[in-house]
Amino acid sequence: MNFQPYTREAVADLLRGHDITPTHQRIEIAFVLFEKREHLCADQIFALVNARHAETSKATVYNTLKLFLDKRLVRELIVDPSKVFYDPNTTPHHHFYDVDSGELTDIPADSVRVEGLPALPPGVVAEGVDVIVRTRRAS
Amino acid sequence: MNFQPYTREAVADLLRGHDITPTHQRIEIAFVLFEKREHLCADQIFALVNARHAETSKATVYNTLKLFLDKRLVRELIVDPSKVFYDPNTTPHHHFYDVDSGELTDIPADSVRVEGLPALPPGVVAEGVDVIVRTRRAS
DNA sequence: CCGGTGAGTTAGACAAAGTCCAATTCTTGT
DNA sequence: ACAAGAATTGGACTTTGTCTAACTCACCGG
């Protein structure tokens, strides 16, 4: 996903293109994700969506994120021991993770090569290869 | 950590070697970790340690794991969205993660090469590079 | 229009992992 | 053996996420 939909209509089209019925709540959630193209967790998304008027419940935020994940509209980043981050960038790329601040930064995939991975057992497919470089302030 | 300490005395020595005062509870926890050389989460460790006689509290298990982590006796694996796994193997290696079963398998590091990572900003050091290959049953 | 149907949403109770604290118990150095 | 500091403890608490049963909404046929 590398174009940026600016209007709710564009977001609605994006959802339709992924087989997702565009509802008010889903549009708002997707809008927030694609507006700030950042790594957000469910909590932050919940807060951002409801910033003006409370309109979307916690349950819907979780339901919707799971749906988006399933439909490959976003990616899940499991990197922080206490919460999952959602990444609106589904093209292959990797991450720096600052252990001190919890901050996540993208590493473009084109420069990085991972070689020598062993073959997978039969009947099993790779869903993706995540490279996470954990960093911290020099001591 | 690639030798396997079989006795509590050997475990105690291992702890001392890492600047950890060996207490009963810490020895039991380390013993469990190094006996089964598996990826265990706090819950499982708590259960294993208390399997015979309840002797170690939940708080101590968490305290101790954090201490072990700090002293580089174990490694933390953040791969499952709901819990942290602890890996008694601190030598460089990577992991397969089966999304369906939650199972973790080691990938020896010597075969794998990660190339082309961008330089780190000044004042920041890499703590480690984790490669996680997410797999699932072919559909 | 209007009422029915099924998908989507909701509040709030619940569950699981992990943290925190003040009181107690252990380890260690002398 | 003892004092002092370190480690441990139960239990309450927090946070992230799940579940459910009721409700709402968009849409379709008549």
Side-chain angles (χ1 to χ4, degrees):
Chain A
M1 225 30 50
N2 259 340
F3 82 99
Q4 184 165 353
Y6 287 105
T7 67
R8 322 249 146 174
E9 235 340 290
V11 170
D13 285 341
L14 178 62
L15 296 187
R16 281 187 208 99
H18 282 257
D19 274 329
I20 299 167
T21 317
T23 64
H24 291 320
Q25 290 88 340
R26 289 173 181 175
I27 290 172
E28 289 309 308
I29 292 171
F31 194 80
V32 160
L33 273 164
F34 287 99
E35 185 190 34
K36 334 196 147 249
R37 304 185 54 74
E38 272 172 37
H39 311 96
L40 300 172
C41 64
D43 246 32
Q44 297 174 301
I45 294 166
F46 177 78
L48 285 169
V49 165
N50 290 306
R52 292 166 172 278
H53 311 291
E55 41 183 35
T56 303
S57 72
K58 191 175 61 147
T60 296
V61 171
Y62 280 103
N63 288 344
T64 301
L65 288 171
K66 202 170 287 176
L67 177 69
F68 284 3
L69 198 60
D70 207 58
K71 301 293 189 185
R72 308 286 148 94
L73 190 63
V74 298
R75 224 171 124 182
E76 202 180 29
L77 292 183
I78 297 162
V79 110
D80 181 297
S82 71
K83 55 193 151 197
V84 174
F85 282 90
Y86 293 89
D87 191 340
N89 179 357
T90 55
T91 63
H93 66 288
H94 304 296
H95 296 93
F96 284 122
Y97 176 65
D98 187 312
V99 175
D100 298 312
S101 68
E103 211 172 312
L104 275 169
T105 325
D106 281 4
I107 303 176
D110 42 10
S111 61
V112 180
R113 252 161 313 128
V114 181
E115 280 165 14
L117 286 174
L120 293 163
V124 164
V125 273
E127 193 171 74
V129 178
D130 292 349
V131 177
I132 295 154
V133 182
R134 278 159 206 285
T135 63
R136 58 173 174 176
R137 286 178 211 105
S139 47
Chain B
M1 225 31 51
N2 259 340
F3 82 99
Q4 184 166 353
Y6 287 103
T7 68
R8 323 250 145 172
E9 235 340 289
V11 171
D13 285 341
L14 178 61
L15 297 187
R16 282 188 206 99
H18 282 258
D19 275 328
I20 298 167
T21 320
T23 64
H24 290 321
Q25 290 87 339
R26 289 173 180 174
I27 290 172
E28 289 309 310
I29 291 170
F31 193 81
V32 159
L33 274 164
F34 287 100
E35 185 190 33
K36 334 197 146 249
R37 305 184 54 75
E38 274 172 36
H39 311 97
L40 300 172
C41 65
D43 247 32
Q44 297 174 302
I45 294 166
F46 178 78
L48 285 168
V49 165
N50 289 305
R52 291 165 172 279
H53 311 291
E55 41 184 34
T56 304
S57 71
K58 191 174 61 149
T60 297
V61 171
Y62 281 103
N63 288 344
T64 301
L65 288 171
K66 202 171 287 174
L67 176 70
F68 284 3
L69 197 60
D70 207 58
K71 301 294 189 186
R72 308 287 148 92
L73 190 64
V74 298
R75 224 170 126 183
E76 204 180 27
L77 292 183
I78 297 162
V79 110
D80 180 296
S82 71
K83 53 193 151 201
V84 174
F85 283 88
Y86 294 87
D87 190 340
N89 179 357
T90 54
T91 63
H93 67 288
H94 304 296
H95 295 93
F96 284 121
Y97 177 65
D98 187 312
V99 174
D100 298 313
S101 68
E103 210 172 312
L104 275 167
T105 325
D106 281 5
I107 303 176
D110 42 11
S111 61
V112 180
R113 254 160 309 125
V114 180
E115 280 166 14
L117 286 173
L120 293 163
V124 164
V125 273
E127 193 172 74
V129 179
D130 291 349
V131 177
I132 294 154
V133 182
R134 275 160 208 286
T135 63
R136 57 174 174 174
R137 286 177 211 107
S139 48

